[in-house]
Amino acid sequence: MPVDFSGTWNLVCSDNFEGYMLALGIDFATRKIAKRLKPQKVIEQEGDSFSIQTTSAFRSYFVQFKIGEAFEEDNKGLDHRKCKTVVTWDNDKLVCVQTGDKKNRGWTHWIEGDQLYLELCCEEQVCTQIYKRA
Ligand code: VLZ
């Protein structure tokens, strides 16, 4: 049985979200607000089909995908840069590559114990977040 990411997850800690946002060119005022947010993720996983809804008091973002199927991602409400995005399994890790104007852009999700991890990368910046089940 593959790992199941399904559920509702609340952010408990975040390291270097500021650096990640800077690498994406997010403006100062937006960063100031965004770095204080405690987003919630609702993940639905059915076979190789996923949806991830990230909700915060300020902005929210929704993405859905099938493993191995590339799609156009708009990053609406984030940096608005279009990417060709593909998500694959690396053992029990969910690995997303977002190809576009920014080098080394993507994210990885995995579960350790009862915690959901998220690593967000852009250029030289890595942001690590930990979520717990709501
Ligand atoms: O998550 O790529 O779970 O999309 C945060 C909204 C959403 C807060 C960040 C406002 C999305 C930020 C992170 C304003 C600049 C992300 C993926 C992995 C799914």
Side-chain angles (χ1 to χ4, degrees):
M1 276 292 279
V3 56
D4 189 4
F5 290 86
S6 296
T8 301
W9 302 89
N10 292 331
L11 183 80
V12 289
C13 63
S14 180
D15 180 60
N16 197 37
F17 191 52
E18 174 75 3
Y20 174 75
M21 288 192 291
L22 264 172
L24 286 176
I26 306 295
D27 67 83
F28 176 81
T30 304
R31 292 201 313 275
K32 229 174 97 172
I33 298 168
K35 71 178 169 196
R36 303 178 53 208
L37 299 171
K38 295 262 183 269
Q40 181 177 75
K41 284 189 191 280
V42 176
I43 302 180
E44 291 180 8
Q45 175 179 346
E46 278 185 26
D48 272 352
S49 295
F50 286 78
S51 67
I52 304 179
Q53 171 74 56
T54 307
T55 304
S56 81
F58 175 55
R59 301 256 176 90
S60 296
Y61 186 69
F62 179 77
V63 67
Q64 62 190 139
F65 55 86
K66 281 186 181 166
I67 297 296
E69 291 188 12
F71 63 99
E72 299 290 334
E73 186 173 16
D74 59 17
N75 292 291
K76 216 172 174 175
L78 306 176
D79 67 319
H80 297 269
R81 283 190 193 82
K82 289 195 168 55
C83 294
K84 173 72 74 70
T85 299
V86 66
V87 183
T88 56
W89 288 113
D90 174 13
N91 297 305
D92 282 347
K93 291 188 175 184
L94 209 50
V95 178
C96 174
V97 175
Q98 295 167 313
T99 305
D101 292 339
K102 290 290 177 180
K103 299 269 179 260
N104 192 38
R105 180 171 183 172
W107 52 258
T108 301
H109 266 302
W110 70 96
I111 290 175
E112 270 178 41
D114 58 355
Q115 303 188 130
L116 173 74
Y117 283 73
L118 171 61
E119 205 171 80
L120 294 160
C121 298
C122 182
E123 298 177 328
E124 279 76 49
Q125 299 297 319
V126 181
C127 164
T128 305
Q129 298 186 334
I130 301 176
Y131 293 78
K132 284 196 166 150
R133 286 194 188 274

